[in-house]
Structure formats: C-alpha cells, structure tokens
Amino acid sequence: MALPPGFLDEIRTRLTLSDVVGRKVIWDQRKSNPAKGDFWAPCCFHQEKTPSLHVDDRKGFYYCFGCHAKGDMITFVKETENVSFIESVEILAREAGLEMPAQTRDPQAAEKRDRQTKLFDVMEQSVRAFGLSLRSAAAASVREYCQRRGLTGETAKRFELGFAPDSRTHLTESFREKGLLEEAIAAGMVIKGEDGSTYDRFRNRLMFPIRDPRGRCIGFGGRAMSDNARAKYLNSPSTDLFDKSRVLYNYGPAREAAGKTQALIVAEGYMDVIALAQAGFGHAVAPNGTAVTEEQLAMMWKVADEPIIALDGDKAGIRAAERLIDLALPLLAPGKSLRFCLMPEGRDPDDLIRAEGPGAMQSALDGAVPLIEMLWRRETAQPHDTPERKAALDQRLRAMLNRIQDPGLRNHYAAEIKTRRAVLFAPPARAANGSRPQWQGGSARGRGRAPSGPQPATRASQLSRTATQMTEARVREAGVLAGILLHPHVLPKVEDPLETMRFLTPELGQMRDRMLELEAEPDDLSARLAEGLGRDPMGILTSIGHQKMHPLSRKGLDLAHVAEVTRDAIARHEAVLTAEAELSDARRDLAEAADESWSERVKQVAQERMAADTQATRDKADNGENALGVRGDIQKLLDQRAWDRSARRG
C-alpha cells in the first residue's frame, strides 16, 4: 500500500516516541529528563536491569547501548509487536486518532481489506457467542469440567473460554440472519457440504480462542466434551486469517509477560498454557496441536534467547523433543538455543501444578537441560559397546555437527562433544584418574554423584600430589560450597555440576552430599546442614582460608551471576584435577627413564606449558576442557628419546 505524502509525519506529530515506547518499559526516573524529551529505561529487547535504552523525543529515535537496538516509533512497533511495516502504521494511526488513507490506487487490495475486516468480525462474534453459551444452563457440565481441571472463573474469563453447543445450526443461523454466512464459511466457523448444506464446525466442545500477536481472534481450538467424538481436539482449518504453523497460542500475552521474566515456556497444549498462567507462569505458549515449525521457532526466539520446552514426560514427549532438536540444529545461532524441561513420567505441566503446586513446576523449569545435553542423551542411548557401534555413533555425531550452519557455534559443539566422547570411551582406570567419569553411585535424584575423597583407582595419582596441591584443592572445594551457602537460592541452578564434582576432602564431600539430599527451603539450608553435621557449616568453610574474602560474599547479587560464578569455579576445579592427573600419568610413563637430565626436562616442559596456559584454562573451564595439554608435550619428549636411543643403537 502506498501512503500519501505527509501521513507518517502527521502520525509523528500527534504521537511522541516516549508515549509509544512507554507502553513496554518503565522509565528510570533518576536518569530521565522529560522536560528535555530525554528518557532512559531497562531495554525491553534483552535481559538486563540497568537503564541502557535511550529515547530522544526531539529526534524521534531510540537506541540501546546494550543490544544496539535502534529505530523510530514504527520500527519499535514492528519489533515489539512482530508485525509488518503497514500493520505498525495502522496501529500507530489508530492511537493517533487517524484513519488509514483510502486505497483508491488498488481496488483489489481495498476489496481484500474489506473482506478481511468482515472475517475478523465473524471471529469476534463467535468468541462472544461461545462465551454466552458457557454461562448458560446447558453448559453446567462443561463448567464442572473446568472446575475439576482447577480453572477459576477469572481464568476462564481471562482466556475467553467458551462452549460450542451440541447443535448443527447454533452459529450458522445467526450468521445467515446477519448476512455473514459466506464470511463465516471462509473463516472456518461454518462448513458447507457437497450438497450445499451448511452446519457448525464446532459442536459440543470447550472452545479456546486463538489470537494473533495484535490480539485479533483468527481461529479456535475445541476440546470434545464427549468420549465418542472423532477427535479429542479440533482446530480451525487454514483460512485467510489462520495458519496453525505460523501461530502460537497465547503469544501476545506471553510476549508481554516475558518482558519481565526474560523467559518463555513452550508447552504442548491449551490447558497446559492456561494452567501455567493461572499458577503465575504467564510467559507460556503452545503450538496448535502440531509439531513446532520453523516459523514458530523464529517467533519464540523473538521473545527469548533460550525458550524452555516443557513437554510431557512420556515417550511421545521425548519424541517431540527429538523432532524439535532436528528442526532447530540448522537454525541455531550464537545466543539462540533451546532448553528442555521434561516432566515426571506420565505428567504434563497441568498435572504437575495441580498435584504439587507452582513450586514443583518452578523446580522442574530450573532443572531444564540445554539442547546439547538432550542431543547427547539421544545419540548415546543406542548401544556403543563394540568398535562398529562406536564408529556408528561417531558417524551420527559428525552428521549432526554438519547440520549446524554457524561455523563458530559448530566449533563449540564439536569441542563439547569431543570432551563428552573422551569420557564415554575412556578405559575405566583412565576415567578414574584423568577424566570426568560417569560415576555409578546412586543418588536421591537418580543421577550419578562423584564420590567424596580418594577412590581406589585414584590413590596412585593422589600420592604423587604435593601437600600444596591437596591444600589448593581443599580451598577450591570450600569456595564452591561457601558460595552456595551464601546464596542458597542458587542451589537448583548448579545442582548438576555440583553433583558430579570430585571432592578430594572427604569432610567437604560429605557436606556436598548432605546439601543435595536435604529437602529444605533455601533460607533454611544452613540451619538444616548444621543439624546434620553438628557444626556450623559456614564456620567449617571459613576456617579453611580465603573464604572470608569470597567473591560472592556481598548480598543482593544477581542469581544468574552467582550461578555462573559457581559453575565456573566447579569447572576450574575439574580442569586442575584433570591437568594434575595428566602430569601424574606422564611421570609414570617416565618411570623407566631415570636419567636426571630427562626428568628435569619433563619438569621444565610441564612448568612452561602450565604457566603459559593458566589463563586459557580459566577461559575454557566452563566447557570442561583441559587446556594444559601437559601429557601431549611430555609424550613428544618420550618419542624423541626413543628415536635418539634407536639412532644410537643403529
């Protein structure tokens, strides 16, 4: 559509950019200066708490110093409402009290627009009609069903739930009388049979209106109230308004709620979304009875960088997660991924919330695993106990890596898989000494927990450690536990790495075990630990040294920052233990080389390499990488010595 000259200028004259942006943000009163048209707020495009979004009313432009988003009021509406240019102009024109110019240059476009307006009218009338039916005496059993599902009247009103009576003509006759029967057929609300007869599409169903990002009803989902219905759920057909592959249920409200939480939950069905919203998780959406599509995935990433996929805890849920992984792999980008929250077997989010409450749901969400973990579980679920099966696993992993389009991201995935593969295929003794093994000990949560204190297979390498190394390990272990005690609410976020962390200090390992087994509220963690240990746990840790100046000792720190620091500390600890084991193994390889000069050369190489790569170890520790590479350099020396001996014998 071609807009007449001056129309956009008229919109900008009637509206200020701060009015438009102010609908989505909360201005920072200390930093903003309204008198000068200068406004600052936390950015609505990315996760932050500081006011980095700057709006200049005089120039009519906004800019974020954090994510570098920028533009004018039209751009802002396009990005936040997920609409086209002309749709953003329409939104602003309505707000400014202006009518969109007549489309005299394109009669066909004008006709199409008039028809679309009638289709939207049909859908809104259907919403009202179904809502009235739900409040009628004939819908008493449907209201009882909603109550059994735990839905309140307020929730039913919020989601505009309705009821389609068990009648073939409930809507058909109404639209016929209003002269909108053809539009009702085009909108998918009325079916026209081959014999020319017309009848309602939805009958005896609990109705869920589906709205687009602008809040306009474009379709319906209907849940059968009879066990004899052909389909439990029935959606609107594809129409000029509705394409189920390009729509997410509750997308508009979830996008707004996600502006506060910077998160998005993707559930499987309508009832899951409604139950989540009623429990306080308003940032939830669902596909419309189909597998997630590329278009829907792109919509999710516009709201959150890592949407959490909360699927049913059954085989169907696992298969849905695997299909989504295959879809997402070529589309992954730096900062754009998925996390997976698998419900307890046989339950969906709605079941979990009704049975155990919102707290259980939050715990499940906190335990969501990254895409790489789901991928690894899938690929290693098949047997890999023979050379042929190992080769088949390698082939599958290579094919998976090749599907990732972004080169940098593909390299990071390759490094992560290499680390996991080394642990998976490591000989038992090697895994105990140098890698992060899959410990077989049970735990309260069903996962393996790294044992506390020296294990039989690691005693030899530990005997070679100096007293200084043991002390340093004890300080690192105490630091991890102290950080968690100082910020107990972080425990669910670091549970997995903490559980597999190797403790060389038995007393601290026992403290870790007790910490993971307690079913205490976060604020009671220290007190409950003290009951079990018979001593103040923080007193034990601070007596070790360096803990009084702990980097997390300040209160009020951001929980995500605390979790990141804690995970990094665990990873660094593991990297150092691995490096020490590498050096210990190399020394054993040199047991026959008693030559003093060679021993000194080995020591020199190890020291030089460790000194040069200390920073690299810190940088790569979060990936569990051993950046030292000590054993490799020493092996080169061994190979060289063997060559020298061979040459002398020759």
Side-chain angles (χ1 to χ4, degrees), residues 422-423 425-437 457-458 502 577-586 588 626 631:
V423 174
F425 291 161
R430 176 73 181 127
N433 285 325
S435 302
R436 296 173 65 179
T458 64
R502 288 174 287 172
L577 293 188
T578 300
E580 291 176 3
E582 292 274 2
L583 188 56
S584 178
D585 288 347
R588 284 199 298 272
N626 171 20
R631 183 173 171 79

Side-chain angles (χ1 to χ4, degrees), residues 414-489:
E416 175 69 18
I417 287 174
K418 181 179 179 181
T419 300
R420 290 170 179 255
R421 185 185 178 282
V423 174
L424 183 67
F425 291 161
R430 176 73 181 127
N433 285 325
S435 302
R436 296 173 65 179
Q438 301 296 315
W439 301 103
Q440 298 303 313
S443 77
R445 293 166 180 78
R447 298 189 296 271
R449 181 176 300 167
S452 307
Q455 301 303 301
T458 64
R459 284 173 185 157
S461 62
Q462 286 185 16
L463 287 173
S464 69
R465 291 191 178 100
T466 65
T468 300
Q469 290 171 331
M470 294 295 289
T471 301
E472 289 175 351
R474 190 164 178 254
V475 170
R476 291 193 303 269
E477 294 161 2
V480 169
L481 297 179
I484 295 173
L485 282 181
L486 289 167
H487 303 274
H489 291 269

Side-chain angles (χ1 to χ4, degrees), residues 179-490:
L180 292 171
L181 184 59
E182 290 302 318
E183 286 77 8
I185 295 172
M189 301 308 299
V190 173
I191 295 175
K192 186 174 183 178
E194 294 181 359
D195 59 356
S197 62
T198 54
Y199 52 92
D200 288 12
R201 177 177 299 276
F202 298 99
R203 301 185 298 278
N204 194 25
R205 290 180 180 271
L206 176 64
M207 301 301 293
F208 304 87
I210 302 170
R211 295 187 176 274
D212 67 7
R214 294 172 58 183
R216 302 174 300 185
C217 182
I218 56 176
F220 284 90
R223 201 268 187 201
M225 290 290 99
S226 170
D227 294 335
N228 298 323
R230 290 184 179 181
K232 183 177 180 180
Y233 280 94
L234 178 66
N235 286 330
S236 289
S238 294
T239 68
D240 290 345
L241 302 182
F242 183 67
D243 180 351
K244 62 184 179 181
S245 68
R246 297 175 179 271
V247 179
L248 290 169
Y249 181 64
N250 196 47
Y251 184 75
R255 180 181 56 193
E256 183 175 349
K260 302 174 184 178
T261 64
Q262 299 300 320
L264 184 69
I265 304 170
V266 183
E268 204 158 336
Y270 306 117
M271 290 300 294
D272 291 326
V273 169
I274 294 173
L276 284 163
Q278 183 173 276
F281 304 94
H283 48 291
V285 299
N288 297 286
T290 61
V292 175
T293 64
E294 286 189 20
E295 292 82 0
Q296 290 170 332
L297 189 55
M299 292 174 67
M300 296 175 199
W301 278 331
K302 285 186 177 182
V303 177
D305 288 343
E306 287 190 336
I308 299 177
I309 313 301
L311 299 173
D312 296 359
D314 53 18
K315 291 182 178 179
I318 297 294
R319 286 196 298 269
E322 292 176 347
R323 287 194 300 269
L324 182 52
I325 289 172
D326 290 332
L327 172 73
L329 276 176
L331 307 174
L332 296 178
K336 300 293 184 182
S337 188
L338 299 170
R339 299 185 75 83
F340 292 84
C341 171
L342 297 179
M343 300 292 101
E345 187 169 358
R347 286 185 175 179
D348 55 27
D350 181 26
D351 297 328
L352 183 61
I353 291 171
R354 282 190 287 141
E356 301 182 35
M361 186 67 219
Q362 184 61 61
S363 296
L365 293 172
D366 291 339
V369 299
L371 188 150
I372 180 65
E373 177 63 26
M374 287 295 295
L375 181 63
W376 181 256
R377 291 181 187 180
R378 179 183 74 175
E379 299 303 335
T380 57
Q382 302 180 40
H384 45 266
D385 54 347
T386 67
E388 294 81 5
R389 288 173 172 174
K390 291 178 181 179
L393 172 60
D394 288 341
Q395 188 177 52
R396 293 196 303 272
L397 293 174
R398 283 194 299 270
M400 177 274 299
L401 286 172
N402 289 335
R403 298 186 62 202
I404 300 175
Q405 300 298 314
D406 184 89
L409 186 61
R410 185 167 58 246
N411 290 339
H412 283 293
Y413 263 74
E416 175 69 18
I417 287 174
K418 181 179 179 181
T419 300
R420 290 170 179 255
R421 185 185 178 282
V423 174
L424 183 67
F425 291 161
R430 176 73 181 127
N433 285 325
S435 302
R436 296 173 65 179
Q438 301 296 315
W439 301 103
Q440 298 303 313
S443 77
R445 293 166 180 78
R447 298 189 296 271
R449 181 176 300 167
S452 307
Q455 301 303 301
T458 64
R459 284 173 185 157
S461 62
Q462 286 185 16
L463 287 173
S464 69
R465 291 191 178 100
T466 65
T468 300
Q469 290 171 331
M470 294 295 289
T471 301
E472 289 175 351
R474 190 164 178 254
V475 170
R476 291 193 303 269
E477 294 161 2
V480 169
L481 297 179
I484 295 173
L485 282 181
L486 289 167
H487 303 274
H489 291 269
V490 82

